[in-house]
Amino acid sequence: RQVSTQSTGSFHSTMSSTFLFTSECVSEGHPDKICDQVSDAVLDACLKEDPASKVACETATKTGMIMVLGEITTKAHLDYQTIIRRVVKRIGFDDSSKGFDYKTCNVLVAIEQQSPDIAQGVHVGRDDDNLGAGDQGHMFGYATNETEELMPLTHVLATRLCERLSVVRNDKTLAWLRPDAKTQVTVEYEKTGGHLKPKRVHTVVISTQHDETVTNEEIRAQLLEKVIKHSIPAQYLDANTVYHLNPSGRFVIGGPQGDAGVTGRKIIIDTYGGWGAHGGGAFSGKDPSKVDRSAAYAARWVAKSLVAAGLAERALVQVSYSIGVAKPLSVFVDSYGTGKVSDEKLLEIIHKNFDLRPGVLRRDLKLARPIYEKTAYFGHFGRNDPDFTWEQPKTLTV
């Protein structure tokens, strides 16, 4: 639908149109998210004892089994059994009736040291500010003023639903819930030029693992009352909102028993729910020398700082790197036509205010701390947590 704001019917920059956009989220007990959390728990254990640890830890899981594999160089002494079982217990897989049990699952470890070829090219013999990027790649950051978090509403609402599912499962408000779940929210937006205004929630999807005793009718009624209405502001819900609540009809078998899990397969959920762009590199299990993580956090920091300063309503920032080279190869910004100044001027402001070398980012954003396990569920961005330093907008010199 397109509506001209001109009385003559001609279409200019003030033309408005509506469209639907969808984002999803998954809970802590989703098999891929289990793997992300385990990988980041291993990273945290390394950084807690040795902040200079070099970590690239992947995780895979299937029925009754979790395997960690990758390359780690650290002075820390790791008890993989304890680390991994603690994560699975926190998530809620504590009994075989749920399809997975932290007490009895098999833990496999295939960890080697970082390649010396990488080490000599990235950090050996270099001062902290001039550490080379751990690999090549391009990373994106995005921000939008449509929510207080400066995040897309679709992503915020899908995430809130998963957070609420976790709350009512853990406090036994809905005792029949089990850890594995997925949510999805479709929002109708009005677009005028580059400006976006969320109008209403069009569709809500929730699929959650449950025990064998609860009926589909109970599931649907309680998800609406105890989860959706607590998570989505009433202003966005109306008589035409569509609800698909456990639409498959049965979801008893979940977690790793239902599907295999692997680290790094939920990169859109981890970021902006499909908005902006993504360079393809996952976050979890990677220390801050890996620009897949640190530069993506920095790009969010830059984009959020621009929007928070009122310089643009929306901003997309890209940075790119070469392995072994400290300075970014390129920096790009797109304000989608919403900038108070030109994109060229925004780029000047970025260069004036941000040093995007990996070693400097590690220092400025305090990325050598053991803070990463909690980033691995409910998103890396838009979080109100002082440890998420990249969420604290920088005061810009314009």
Side-chain angles (χ1 to χ4, degrees):
R1 182 175 68 87
Q2 292 186 332
V3 180
S4 171
T5 59
Q6 305 295 315
S7 59
T8 60
S10 59
F11 289 85
H12 299 290
S13 61
T14 53
M15 178 191 71
S16 67
S17 60
T18 60
F19 65 93
L20 301 178
F21 198 93
T22 302
S23 298
E24 69 165 348
C25 189
V26 299
S27 68
E28 315 102 292
H30 185 282
D32 293 332
K33 270 289 149 217
I34 294 173
C35 293
D36 287 343
Q37 291 165 84
V38 167
S39 290
D40 272 338
V42 172
L43 171 62
D44 283 350
C46 293
L47 294 176
K48 187 175 182 180
E49 293 187 35
D50 179 8
S53 297
K54 298 296 179 284
V55 180
C57 180
E58 312 295 338
T59 304
T61 184
K62 186 52 189 163
T63 307
M65 181 278 292
I66 291 186
M67 180 179 188
V68 291
L69 60 158
E71 301 78 43
I72 296 178
T73 300
T74 183
K75 297 175 184 176
H77 301 282
L78 303 181
D79 182 346
Y80 289 101
Q81 294 278 340
T82 298
I83 294 167
I84 293 168
R85 295 184 195 279
R86 177 192 59 77
V87 173
V88 178
K89 179 182 180 181
R90 174 184 56 72
I91 290 169
F93 282 115
D94 53 11
D95 190 275
S96 59
S97 66
K98 299 179 181 180
F100 206 76
D101 186 350
Y102 77 94
K103 299 183 294 294
T104 59
C105 65
N106 190 21
V107 173
L108 304 175
V109 179
I111 299 290
E112 300 175 5
Q113 290 204 327
Q114 181 191 54
S115 163
D117 290 349
I118 296 175
Q120 62 85 29
V122 172
H123 59 87
V124 173
R126 298 195 183 203
D127 66 83
D128 287 348
D129 283 0
N130 288 297
L131 298 175
D135 201 352
Q136 71 176 53
H138 51 99
M139 303 83 205
F140 291 90
Y142 180 75
T144 169
N145 67 357
E146 67 198 71
T147 62
E148 289 183 3
E149 299 89 343
L150 301 187
M151 290 287 287
L153 181 65
T154 52
H155 175 84
V156 168
L157 295 182
T159 303
R160 283 184 189 171
L161 289 171
C162 273
E163 290 175 320
R164 179 65 180 171
L165 284 169
S166 182
V167 168
V168 296
R169 172 172 59 85
N170 286 308
D171 70 10
K172 308 299 182 185
T173 298
L174 299 182
W176 48 265
L177 282 172
R178 286 178 173 173
D180 191 0
K182 302 182 78 171
T183 64
Q184 187 169 282
V185 176
T186 301
V187 169
E188 179 181 342
Y189 283 86
E190 182 178 59
K191 181 178 181 181
T192 306
H195 172 75
L196 298 180
K197 182 180 180 181
K199 303 291 286 183
R200 57 183 291 272
V201 169
H202 180 278
T203 303
V204 178
V205 182
I206 300 178
S207 293
T208 181
Q209 187 187 11
H210 57 86
D211 69 22
E212 296 181 340
T213 63
V214 66
T215 67
N216 288 334
E217 291 72 22
E218 289 175 302
I219 290 172
R220 288 163 183 160
Q222 292 181 20
L223 287 179
L224 181 60
E225 291 298 320
K226 302 294 187 182
V227 178
I228 293 171
K229 291 183 178 180
H230 281 262
S231 305
I232 299 178
Q235 70 194 71
Y236 292 120
L237 301 175
D238 58 37
N240 295 317
T241 300
V242 178
Y243 301 97
H244 295 293
L245 307 179
N246 270 35
S248 70
R250 184 173 174 84
F251 189 177
V252 174
I253 299 172
Q257 185 181 19
D259 293 285
V262 180
T263 299
R265 290 204 300 200
K266 292 293 175 279
I267 59 175
I268 300 303
I269 288 168
D270 283 343
T271 52
Y272 309 104
W275 294 89
H278 202 296
F283 299 156
S284 290
K286 296 177 180 176
D287 74 84
S289 73
K290 280 70 171 174
V291 284
D292 277 342
R293 180 170 226 158
S294 56
Y297 287 5
R300 163 64 176 172
W301 187 35
V302 173
K304 186 173 184 178
S305 297
L306 294 175
V307 174
L311 292 169
E313 295 179 17
R314 304 164 61 204
L316 177 69
V317 173
Q318 187 203 49
V319 290
S320 69
Y321 295 86
S322 168
I323 189 170
V325 178
K327 289 187 177 181
L329 308 183
S330 64
V331 181
F332 165 83
V333 62
D334 183 0
S335 66
Y336 302 93
T338 69
K340 299 299 186 289
V341 297
S342 68
D343 288 351
E344 290 78 12
K345 178 61 177 177
L346 290 177
L347 189 58
E348 289 180 19
I349 293 170
I350 292 171
H351 285 305
K352 183 185 295 186
N353 287 273
F354 296 94
D355 187 337
L356 297 173
R357 290 175 293 170
V360 176
L361 295 176
R362 180 177 181 270
R363 180 194 69 214
D364 289 353
L365 293 175
K366 302 178 176 64
L367 297 179
R369 296 167 298 144
I371 59 169
Y372 293 104
E373 183 182 336
K374 61 184 174 181
T375 70
Y377 53 103
F378 306 143
H380 295 246
F381 305 127
R383 305 277 292 274
N384 184 21
D385 185 317
D387 284 336
F388 289 57
T389 50
W390 50 94
E391 288 299 315
Q392 300 165 20
K394 187 173 186 178
T395 301
L396 302 178
T397 300
V398 178

